[in-house]
């Protein structure tokens, strides 16, 4: 069952300017492996993290550097969550996160769906007959 959807769009040149003006943002927003990427890829990952927070319904218990966007062997992006962020997501009953990202020209975008499994069986209903 879908419990949350988030989407975000980032202006890549503006994002690059922010990183240049505030170099500490790199360490505050990205996991160590992500910090090595090109700005357009960082912008897409920033959009992914923002979209994740929207899909979760807020940022309580969620920390930027505990969210890493990592590729599967096929290249499909996925979230790797650690620490309190992983605990928070699990505590909210979320069992799967689906991520799609793209960047082209001056824009980067991400879309996230948060999913939770419903109970295997529903309570039995009495038959009124």
């Amino acid at each position: 069952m879908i419990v949350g959807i988030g989407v975000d769009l980032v202006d890549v040149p503006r994002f690059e300017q922010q990183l240049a003006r505030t170099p500490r943002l790199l360490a505050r927003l990205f996991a160590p492996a992500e910090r090595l990427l090109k700005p357009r890829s960082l912008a897409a990952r920033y959009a992914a993290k923002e979209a994740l927070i929207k899909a979760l319904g807020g940022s309580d218990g969620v920390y930027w550097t505990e969210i890493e966007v990592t590729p599967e062997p096929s290249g499909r992006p996925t979230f790797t969550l650690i620490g309190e962020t992983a605990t928070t997501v699990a505590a909210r009953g979320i069992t799967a996160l689906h991520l799609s990202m793209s960047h082209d020209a001056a824009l980067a975008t991400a879309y996230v769906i948060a999913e939770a499994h419903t109970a295997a069986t529903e309570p039995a209903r009495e038959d009124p007959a």
Side-chain angles (χ1 to χ4, degrees):
M1 171 171 73
I2 294 173
V3 294
I5 298 172
V7 65
D8 197 62
L9 182 66
V10 174
D11 180 300
V12 175
R14 184 173 174 213
F15 182 78
E16 288 182 78
Q17 291 170 355
Q18 290 287 357
L19 288 177
R21 264 190 298 229
T22 314
R24 291 179 297 151
L25 281 179
L26 199 62
R28 288 176 46 203
L29 298 175
F30 299 102
E34 292 175 314
R35 296 175 199 160
L36 304 173
L37 299 170
K38 294 180 180 181
R40 69 173 188 260
S41 293
L42 290 174
R45 280 161 173 75
Y46 178 81
K49 294 177 187 200
E50 281 282 351
L52 173 62
I53 290 168
K54 292 171 183 176
L56 296 175
S59 63
D60 291 344
V62 177
Y63 299 93
W64 288 85
T65 57
E66 293 182 348
I67 305 166
E68 184 175 352
V69 176
T70 53
E72 291 182 343
S74 66
R76 181 179 133 194
T78 187
F79 288 111
T80 300
L81 307 178
I82 61 170
E84 189 174 338
T85 299
T87 302
T88 297
V89 169
R92 293 181 185 179
I94 295 169
T95 55
L97 293 168
H98 305 278
L99 168 62
S100 180
M101 301 185 324
S102 184
H103 52 75
D104 186 32
L107 297 173
T109 189
Y111 189 85
V112 174
I113 297 173
E115 186 178 4
H117 292 296
T118 58
T121 58
E122 293 186 24
R125 293 188 175 148
E126 288 187 34
D127 189 355

